[in-house]
Amino acid sequence: MSAVLVEDGPDKGAIWHFGEPVKEQRAIEAGTAWADLSHLSVIAVSGEDRLKWLHDLTTQFLTDLEAGIWKPAMILDPQGHVEYQFNLVDDGTTTFLVLDASYAEALVAYLSKMRFMLKVDVRDATSEFAVLRAPGATTDIGGPFALVPRGEVAQMAQAFNAVATQVGTWALDAERVAAGRPRIGFETDHKTIPNEIGVLNGAVHMNKGCYRGQETVAKIFNLGNPPRRLTMLHLDGSDVGFPATGTKIENDGVVVGFIGTVARHHELGTIALAIVKRNTPLDATLSVDGIAAAQQPIV
């Protein structure tokens, strides 16, 4: 089967599927899938102060990060809203941040501004390195991942093809939605705080020193009532179309949230991640652009 490419959005140009998305999803579940994620951006942070510096700037505990270990992290604004989301890995001399391309330029500018007198260097390394989703059992952050010099991507792809099935973003999105993993720009808006989207004790470490926005995270955590919550919706599959990201969700005609990522899962049918008001009854049948949807709470 020939590859079908994603036509727009942050994954534009990536492979959407190879004509058999059900087969691709089963390969992910079996640990025998790989994917080309070279459309994502890579930021390189080098220098002997890099880990302590990133530890202080991000929501993740990084001072003792070992080489080769992938971690999720975020950077929040002063009010605790999510500004950047990325996965990172260190090779012993450089820490690499992997993120959606539309956020890379702004993040490089922000990090460069925050260097002060520390021994760190920041650069966009997207032209140097690419990320692949490697074969293996799915990790908590959607890996395993391989950071590969761009000149070696074809060779690595050939090696992966010998032992695994290449998959596209259709299958990856279906796995991500089923696992309840939020993605910036889909399950977030300008008001999103980490407490709403299920990343506490994951991308957001709850036992580390101060970082920008921590006061909000700690306050809401202690109160136990974020204003909104991440949920998985099971949509009526009789409608062949997908509601667009950002489509309003209603409960008896009242808007209670918005749709994030929508996917067609080979076992669960049409599912979506969504953000809804915390007080929305769990047993309420919601409506998304006229499509009935039942909730499976995540937060």
Side-chain angles (χ1 to χ4, degrees):
M1 292 285 185
S2 59
V4 178
L5 301 182
V6 179
E7 295 183 353
D8 54 27
D11 295 324
K12 182 178 181 180
I15 294 170
W16 185 28
H17 63 81
F18 291 89
E20 298 181 284
V22 170
K23 177 182 175 182
E24 294 175 33
Q25 290 180 48
R26 288 176 175 159
I28 293 175
E29 291 181 351
T32 58
W34 77 276
D36 185 343
L37 303 178
S38 58
H39 62 288
L40 298 177
S41 286
V42 179
I43 295 173
V45 181
S46 57
E48 61 184 77
D49 294 331
R50 69 191 183 285
L51 290 179
K52 177 60 168 63
W53 182 65
L54 288 169
H55 175 92
D56 292 339
L57 289 177
T58 74
T59 58
Q60 188 55 270
F61 195 103
L62 298 172
T63 56
D64 59 356
L65 181 65
E66 297 179 9
I69 303 298
W70 286 82
K71 292 281 188 179
M74 292 179 167
I75 291 177
L76 311 181
D77 73 9
Q79 289 73 45
H81 304 127
V82 176
E83 276 201 336
Y84 301 103
Q85 177 193 38
F86 44 87
N87 293 322
L88 57 81
V89 66
D90 193 84
D91 69 357
T93 60
T94 303
T95 305
F96 298 92
L97 284 55
V98 179
L99 71 164
D100 287 349
S102 60
Y103 294 90
E105 183 177 358
L107 182 52
V108 168
Y110 170 74
L111 293 175
S112 298
K113 183 177 66 175
M114 299 300 291
R115 288 181 301 167
F116 303 114
M117 299 298 291
L118 296 175
K119 296 177 180 178
V120 293
D121 183 67
V122 180
R123 73 181 191 279
D124 188 328
T126 307
S127 63
E128 304 168 51
F129 296 94
V131 178
L132 306 179
R133 200 284 191 184
T138 303
T139 67
D140 290 342
I141 61 174
F145 299 114
L147 185 71
V148 182
R150 291 235 169 220
E152 299 176 14
V153 168
Q155 179 182 352
M156 186 65 75
Q158 185 177 13
F160 284 168
N161 275 327
V163 297
T165 299
Q166 187 174 2
V167 304
T169 61
W170 178 325
L172 294 173
D173 278 344
E175 184 278 325
R176 180 173 65 81
V177 172
R181 290 196 310 275
R183 182 178 182 183
I184 193 170
F186 288 81
E187 287 73 51
T188 69
D189 60 13
H190 67 285
K191 298 186 297 183
T192 300
I193 59 175
N195 312 63
E196 299 175 330
I197 56 175
V199 296
L200 303 188
N201 293 313
V204 178
H205 196 284
M206 298 302 291
N207 294 298
K208 61 166 284 186
C210 186
Y211 55 87
R212 192 171 72 170
Q214 184 192 32
E215 183 177 353
T216 298
V217 174
K219 179 180 179 180
I220 299 299
F221 175 75
N222 290 327
L223 291 174
N225 55 352
R228 304 179 298 179
R229 55 180 171 81
L230 181 69
T231 189
M232 185 167 76
L233 298 182
H234 294 264
L235 283 73
D236 182 352
S238 61
D239 193 308
V240 296
F242 278 6
T245 297
T247 300
K248 295 177 180 178
I249 300 170
E250 297 183 353
N251 180 26
D252 288 335
V254 177
V255 174
V256 295
F258 65 90
I259 278 283
T261 308
V262 186
R264 188 159 286 130
H265 192 274
H266 72 107
E267 291 182 341
L268 300 176
T270 305
I271 55 177
L273 292 179
I275 299 295
V276 299
K277 291 182 179 179
R278 179 176 54 88
N279 60 1
T280 304
L282 295 177
D283 59 354
T285 298
L286 306 179
S287 176
V288 185
D289 202 17
I291 302 171
Q295 301 174 74
Q296 181 177 331
I298 298 171
V299 175

